[in-house]
Amino acid sequence: MARVFPEGQLVYGMQLPIQSQSTIYAEAWEAAATPYDLAEIARTADRTGFAYIAGCDHVAIPRRLAEAMGTVWYDPVATLGFLAGVTQRVRLMSHVAVLGLRHPLLTAKQYATLDHLSGGRLILGVGAGHVPEEFEAVGADFPGRGSVLNESIDALRAALGPAEYPEHHGALYDFDGLAQLLLPHVEAGRIRPLPLPVLVQLLLGPMITHILTRPAIEPIRSLDLPPVNELCELFAEAYVRAVGQPE
């Protein structure tokens, strides 16, 4: 299995505030936060050595769960795409993409595009999902989401691979003869050959059974991480700039 980060090196990242506002963990200031605030937090994470920033995935929250989960959940592809434009180094993680809500070709197109436009910074974390009403609303199979997850991973192996016309023939998904090839990513004046050196790491979810990687993984350079106390001070400063001095 290819590694996302160098073996033996401690790295740290975070699930971003603002973009998911579950009452279990969200703080009061997030309700009035703006896209500028989210961008400022991402830029601070990028500048201070965080390995990744992450966004969550829910299509819609049913009324019965709204008291605990809240109803503010940004789309992860749009959110990470926006933050890719204001950062340079930090990796962008879906935490987690619910594969059963979308066809694998759609998932592949969205996240391959995000990886391409961000310069190869995607970490695709996936899971099975846990909200039945969400699946019902989009016509997806909630009781069978474990099997859907497993086959979706196999389908993504094909769709995110080097073939211009990926091919997958399974019990749930069947496709071939459909092209999804992105142009090579231009890096430092040099065009990288396909397949793009993106790592797709499958994370979390109680039914996960596979790790999916793309070939030609590019080694990740060692990160120069500042001490934790300095990071706390930097984020405290960013917090004050974004929302003001806490009472």
Side-chain angles (χ1 to χ4, degrees), residues 25-128:
Y25 52 73
E27 297 188 12
W29 66 267
E30 295 179 55
T34 68
Y36 173 83
D37 300 324
L38 183 61
E40 179 67 11
I41 292 168
R43 281 191 291 261
T44 302
D46 190 50
R47 188 177 69 251
T48 57
F50 273 60
Y52 67 85
I53 53 177
C56 304
D57 182 22
H58 278 289
V59 170
I61 306 301
R63 192 180 300 274
R64 69 177 181 89
L65 295 177
E67 184 177 355
M69 293 183 64
T71 57
V72 176
W73 294 81
Y74 290 17
D75 177 81
V77 178
T79 302
L80 295 175
F82 165 63
L83 297 177
V86 299
T87 57
Q88 297 181 345
R89 179 203 54 81
V90 69
R91 284 185 171 257
L92 310 165
M93 178 189 290
S94 59
H95 188 263
V96 293
V98 180
L99 291 191
L101 296 176
R102 303 167 187 87
H103 192 284
L105 286 178
L106 176 58
T107 299
K109 173 56 70 73
Q110 291 176 320
Y111 283 101
T113 302
L114 172 59
D115 179 77
H116 175 69
L117 295 177
S118 68
R121 290 191 279 149
L122 173 68
I123 301 175
L124 176 56
V126 307

Side-chain angles (χ1 to χ4, degrees), residues 203-221:
L203 305 168
L204 308 182
M207 299 181 183
I208 200 69
T209 60
H210 299 285
I211 294 295
L212 170 64
T213 61
R214 273 200 176 182
I217 301 301
E218 184 177 51
I220 300 172
R221 291 187 295 272

Side-chain angles (χ1 to χ4, degrees), residues 134-141:
E134 219 172 16
F135 282 70
E136 294 167 6
V138 300
D141 179 10

